Amino acid sequence: MSNKKYIATEGDGKDILHILESSAAKGNIELLYTRRPDAYLSYMKETPDTQVFISHNKGRAVGTCAEIIRETYINGQASKSAYICGLKKDANYDGGLGFGMGFIRSLQRDDIDFYYCSVISDNITAQKIFGKNGKAISMKPITEYRTYILNPKIKIKSPKHDFTFTNATEDDKAELLDFLNCEGKKRDLFPVINSLEQFYGLTYNDFYLLKKNDKIVAAAALWNQTEYKQYIVKRYSLIMKIARIINPLLLFFKYVKLPKENSPLDFPMLSFFVCQNNDINLYRIFLNEIKNEIAKEYSMFIFGMPKNNFAAPLVNKLPSIHFDTKIYEIKFPWSKQCYKQIDTNNFNPECALL
């Protein structure tokens, strides 16, 4: 087999998109995660420090992968983390992925403090592959992560309060930036935020604030990324087809309206959601307020968290569709790089950046 491996360029966008859309994640809901209209340009919107890879066999694009590098907090310090994602083979190709040691070496950089990736929990095949550590690469599962799809009309028990809930204004920018980093640095892999506009399509107007005595105590953004990356339900299992039939009844219990097959979901991500000192009451109050804002425009919203997050017991009781992934730590045994260790009990990568 004659393979050619190289770093992708803008002209590879259509081939990468074809590979990403060649199969969907299996489960009760077959969910396709894609990056229309141009997959290469979509990846490049993540950070300026992103690499996209593509593999060819006899002129045919057969495999792809991306490495998204960001500054994140690890042990309270700004560190460089690399998220390996989109590793996929064309489902219609029966050969190997085509990425060998040369590709693996191209991922490793001396300035990266931590490498990680995520795998859908139902993807047992990939987990078995990742469990076979060797001389080239070592992968260890470090936590489970749950992504929730929620109806903004859910009922949340919220205590009476005298806090002020408001949309952020330009006057809030400096304090908001300080607050996000102050609270974010307490959580490993939370992004270092140097500017509210460093994330594509996000501005201070997308943030909402909970204030006490005019000081921010909780904040989050509603970030709609569907312009350049999408979720599409490709197929429902039998049990979910039945759920669709009785969906009007489920709506009464505030479950999300099940979307049509083969239609991109339109939703905002509840992103960069932090509250002062992980106060569960602040979390309840903010979530109760923000859902009312979401309901003005959308029929669903999405956010995620590790299963041991302080708010998981609350969110797991809410009516939702959810899917689980496993987060893996990646190491290159042949490298002399000294990797940083994260605290898996205090670990909170941003769902909108996975």
Side-chain angles (χ1 to χ4, degrees):
M1 180 171 63
S2 175
N3 283 304
K4 180 181 178 182
K5 292 167 274 291
Y6 65 102
I7 295 177
T9 62
E10 187 170 344
D12 296 306
K14 289 184 178 179
D15 283 339
I16 296 168
L17 184 65
H18 171 77
I19 294 170
L20 293 179
E21 297 194 352
S22 66
S23 63
K26 304 300 181 183
N28 284 331
I29 299 177
E30 286 194 13
L31 197 64
L32 179 67
Y33 177 65
T34 187
R35 289 177 171 267
R36 298 176 180 175
D38 186 300
Y40 176 84
L41 294 180
S42 172
Y43 278 123
M44 299 311 291
K45 287 179 171 66
E46 297 287 351
T47 72
D49 201 3
T50 290
Q51 287 192 110
V52 186
F53 300 87
I54 192 166
S55 175
H56 284 78
N57 180 25
K58 298 179 181 179
R60 173 183 174 181
V62 298
T64 186
C65 178
E67 180 181 40
I68 300 172
I69 299 169
R70 289 189 175 88
E71 267 200 313
T72 65
Y73 289 108
I74 299 179
N75 302 319
Q77 300 297 316
S79 310
K80 266 195 175 176
S81 300
Y83 178 54
I84 311 300
C85 61
L87 179 60
K88 196 165 186 178
K89 184 183 78 170
D90 185 345
N92 301 308
Y93 171 68
D94 59 4
L97 186 60
F99 286 136
M101 191 62 190
F103 160 70
I104 291 173
R105 286 189 180 277
S106 68
L107 292 175
Q108 196 274 333
R109 286 180 14 181
D110 291 339
D111 62 336
I112 303 299
D113 298 299
F114 189 80
Y115 291 86
Y116 65 108
C117 72
S118 61
V119 179
I120 296 291
S121 294
D122 287 337
N123 192 344
I124 305 301
T125 301
Q127 291 177 47
K128 287 181 179 179
I129 293 173
F130 290 164
K132 297 177 180 178
N133 295 319
K135 295 180 180 180
I137 192 167
S138 171
M139 303 184 68
K140 181 181 73 174
I142 53 176
T143 192
E144 293 188 327
Y145 193 93
R146 176 162 287 181
T147 301
Y148 304 86
I149 305 175
L150 294 145
N151 185 336
K153 295 182 180 180
I154 52 174
K155 294 181 180 179
I156 300 171
K157 292 183 178 179
S158 174
K160 292 183 178 179
H161 65 89
D162 57 356
F163 296 96
T164 301
F165 180 80
T166 182
N167 198 188
T169 68
E170 191 166 9
D171 291 340
D172 295 308
K173 286 178 68 174
E175 185 188 356
L176 175 57
L177 193 62
D178 287 344
F179 179 78
L180 290 171
N181 283 292
C182 179
E183 292 300 323
K185 69 170 53 177
K186 301 174 184 177
R187 302 159 175 83
D188 283 354
L189 292 191
F190 191 88
V192 176
I193 304 178
N194 298 308
S195 165
L196 299 179
E197 288 78 22
Q198 76 187 52
F199 304 102
Y200 183 83
L202 190 69
T203 73
Y204 66 87
N205 291 122
D206 298 306
F207 280 85
Y208 290 82
L209 314 174
L210 192 67
K211 293 184 176 183
K212 178 75 170 181
N213 298 325
D214 210 33
K215 296 293 183 182
I216 300 172
V217 295
L222 295 180
W223 188 10
N224 190 327
Q225 301 172 295
T226 55
E227 174 191 339
Y228 63 101
K229 54 184 179 180
Q230 304 85 23
Y231 289 95
I232 300 172
V233 174
K234 296 300 293 182
R235 191 181 71 86
Y236 290 106
S237 68
L238 177 60
I239 190 170
M240 292 305 297
K241 287 182 183 292
I242 295 172
R244 282 206 72 197
I245 294 173
I246 62 171
N247 201 206
L249 176 61
L250 295 176
L251 288 174
F252 177 80
F253 293 101
K254 309 306 179 187
Y255 280 88
V256 69
K257 181 179 180 180
L258 293 175
K260 295 180 180 179
E261 294 174 344
N262 296 309
S263 297
L265 308 186
D266 185 26
F267 62 90
M269 284 276 194
L270 184 59
S271 311
F272 313 108
F273 186 7
V274 292
C275 59
Q276 196 173 65
N277 300 321
N278 285 348
D279 187 322
I280 194 63
N281 283 326
L282 293 178
Y283 196 97
R284 285 179 179 274
I285 293 166
F286 189 95
L287 192 56
N288 190 53
E289 296 286 349
I290 194 72
K291 72 179 181 64
N292 296 327
E293 291 297 319
I294 298 169
K296 293 176 182 178
E297 187 175 354
Y298 298 98
S299 62
M300 68 176 67
F301 67 106
I302 293 180
F303 69 103
M305 63 182 67
K307 287 192 174 180
N308 61 356
N309 186 278
F310 80 100
L314 164 65
V315 182
N316 284 332
K317 292 178 181 178
L318 300 176
S320 71
I321 296 174
H322 56 260
F323 58 93
D324 297 330
T325 56
K326 288 187 177 180
I327 307 292
Y328 284 78
E329 175 188 21
I330 300 173
K331 291 183 178 179
F332 303 97
W334 45 267
S335 171
K336 295 181 180 180
Q337 173 75 354
C338 184
Y339 302 109
K340 290 188 175 181
Q341 296 296 315
I342 66 164
D343 181 357
T344 56
N345 293 314
N346 191 27
F347 168 77
N348 196 23
E350 169 51 48
C351 184
L353 303 180
L354 292 177

